[in-house]
Structure formats: C-alpha cells, structure tokens
Amino acid sequence: MANIKTIGVLTSGGDAPGMNAAIRAVTRAAIYNGFKVKGFYRGYRGLVDNEVVDLKTQNVSNIIQHGGTILKTARCKEFKTVEGRQKAWETIKKNGIDALVVIGGDGSLSGARQFASEYDFPIVGLPGTIDNDLYGTDHTIGYDTALNTIMWCVDRIRDTAYSHERLFFIEVMGREAGFLALNGAIASGAEAAIIPEISIEHDQLAELIQNGFRDSKNSAIVLVAESPVTGGAMGLAERVRTEFPQYDVRVTILGHLQRGGSPTAQDRILATRMGAAAIDALMEGQRNIMIGDDDEKIIYTPFSKAIKLEKTIDRSLLETLRQLSL
Ligand code: ADP
Ligand code: F6P
C-alpha cells in the first residue's frame, strides 16, 4: 500500500439514491482502518475551489436512508481543462490528501481517470448513477431505487390508461442507455420498451404499430428511453398522432423524480459494500479502478474499461415483453 494517511471523497455528476450510504461506508470504513477522511463539496468543483469538510463518524450519522448527497454534486466544466485540474491538484496537496474515492457516473470516472494519470495519484471509483450504464458492474448505485420509482409511477398511469383506453408513452432517464426503460417495462408489465440500443438498428415504433400495440386490450403502456435515437416520448407520440389518429395518445415524462427518494434496501446494501470495498482496495494498493458487483461478488475494473466498454443489455427481455403483451 502507498503511504496513505488521509482519504478524500466526493460525489459527482447526476445524483443517485444511495450516494449517502456510500459516503457513510467510505467514511466509517476509512476511520475504522485508521485513516482521516475529508469530503469535497459539489464534485470536482470542490476540488477546484477547495471546498472541503472533515468527515468524522458522526458527520455521516442518520444519512443512509436519504436520497441525494450530503456532499452535494455538480457538473464542473473547469475540471475538464488542464488549468482546472492543476487547481484541483493544489487543493489535494494543500489538504494532504493521499488518495481519493470518486462516486459518480461515466463522466465522473472519465475525469478521475484523466486526473489520476496526469498526477500519478491513486483514485478508486464507485459507480453512482441511476443509469446502470457502466461496464464492470451488474448494478450501479441508485439504479434499483430509480427502477422502483418508475414501477410505482407506471402502476398509477396504468390505472388511467386502462380506464380511458389510451396509449401512453412514458419517458424515462438513462442518457444513452436503455436499462431503466427495459427493466422498468418488465417490472411494471408494460407492453413495450423503446431503447436506443435497438432503435439504432430498426424502427421499433413501426414494428409496434404493425403488431397493433396490443391485440386484446385497448390501452397500452410503452416505456421510452430518453435519447435522440429513440425520438423520446414526445417525438414518438407525435408520429402516432399524425400517422395513426385512431389512437388516443398521451405522454408522461418522469424526469428528475427518478433521481430522488429514499434508497431501496438493495441500493443501501450495494453502496455500503462498495464503499467499504473502496477502502479495502486502497489498502491493497489498488488504484485507478472502479468497484463493481459481479454476481454478488465485488470486482475491480480499470477506469479505462469501465468507461470505454459498452455494457450489454439483455435483448431477450424485449422478446419477453412482446410475448407477454398478448
Ligand atoms: P456523470 O458522472 O453522472 O456521468 P457527467 O458526465 O456530467 O456526469 O460528468 C461529471 C463531471 O465529471 C463533469 O462535470 C466534469 O467535471 C467531469 N468530467 C467528465 N468527463 C471528463 C473528462 N473527460 N475529463 C475531465 N473531467 C471530466
Ligand atoms: O446520468 C444521470 C442522468 O439522470 C441521466 O439519466 C440524465 O440524462 C441526466 O442525468 C440528466 O441530467 P441533469 O440533471 O443535468 O438534467
């Protein structure tokens, strides 16, 4: 192990339920093993501007159940510049930080990789994003809570869709990935999911229309992943309205409500295991890796793979959706 005395921690990019549980686990596991911990506010903004707080065990009490992040989060353009990262490095030195734990999504881990290589500095990443789009982990922190939120919302929309015999396009988040849309559709018994991974290959909407949406009932729910590739829920609804005016179409965009709320047990457990694993990894001398879960086991994936390789989506679930929407 490198000579580590003080560990920094930050949350960056889009917030995700379970980030607080991860901060708690990192802080307490580090203190248990004899390290000092400092938190940086607003992701890389806190590194650039030296916004820092000492984290003691009591600072992370009573947070495991809360969504959001007590350290706040931000998207920091300055950190993408050489000058910004130079300022961040000065903050690291000024505060005596020997290693950093970065909790965030693909962009945050890209930043971590860049910074770690420029300054030869040990960083361990935790996958914190509702999108579940990082290679090297079955699940990201926040994904399960967001899925449950989607399911809760779709259950309610189905009541009105059924009563009015309407076709609903419900847009969910996921950036360029369809995990939330596909598994959200499975969990809520939706008729279909339109996801970028497939839309790029063929016109999923045309196929749905050709199949009559749903033969036996007059209402249908289609989950749509936000993306220019899918056309989004608005775009798809517009197409149906002009091409098939017989359908009574409505749109719901779930938006940022998917990012909030108390984390599920699964996310709290995942975040806790990963947070503790980050400290273990640093003690083993690991650096520039992301912690992941693979079939319940903790694994390490180099940043270069986690952010570059595409995580594959289970396409067979689309066929399951199709078969079950009789
Ligand atoms: P997420 O981590 O949720 O994917 P973003 O893509 O917005 O969120 O990235 C979060 C932050 O990470 C950015 O605002 C920026 O500060 C930093 N970042 C992203 N990509 C890079 C990069 N290539 N180099 C340096 N920093 C980056
Ligand atoms: O990466 C998480 C995420 O919620 C994406 O699913 C979504 O595209 C994006 O962040 C939204 O970002 P913002 O909060 O900046 O609108």
Side-chain angles (χ1 to χ4, degrees), residues 11-17 19 69 73-75 103-105 108 128-130 141 175 259:
T11 48
S12 166
D15 63 342
M19 280 184 163
T69 155
T73 184
R75 312 211 196 253
I103 308 166
S108 304
T129 166
I130 65 165
I141 296 165
R175 204 132 66 164
R259 288 239 296 263

Side-chain angles (χ1 to χ4, degrees), residues 112 121 231 294:
F121 184 68
D294 175 18

Side-chain angles (χ1 to χ4, degrees), residues 241-307:
R241 281 190 188 113
T242 42
E243 292 170 37
F244 302 92
Q246 70 271 30
Y247 288 107
D248 191 9
V249 184
R250 292 293 185 276
V251 167
T252 305
I253 297 177
L254 296 185
H256 288 81
L257 71 80
Q258 296 163 91
R259 288 239 296 263
S262 179
T264 57
Q266 191 166 314
D267 271 331
R268 296 182 198 195
I269 294 166
L270 185 71
T272 300
R273 290 180 65 217
M274 287 182 165
I279 302 305
D280 288 343
L282 286 171
M283 289 195 299
E284 285 168 20
Q286 297 283 347
R287 44 163 57 205
N288 312 332
I289 48 118
M290 183 194 80
I291 305 288
D293 77 318
D294 175 18
D295 216 5
E296 298 289 312
K297 284 191 300 292
I298 291 288
I299 57 165
Y300 303 150
T301 303
F303 285 149
S304 52
K305 279 191 174 177
I307 59 184

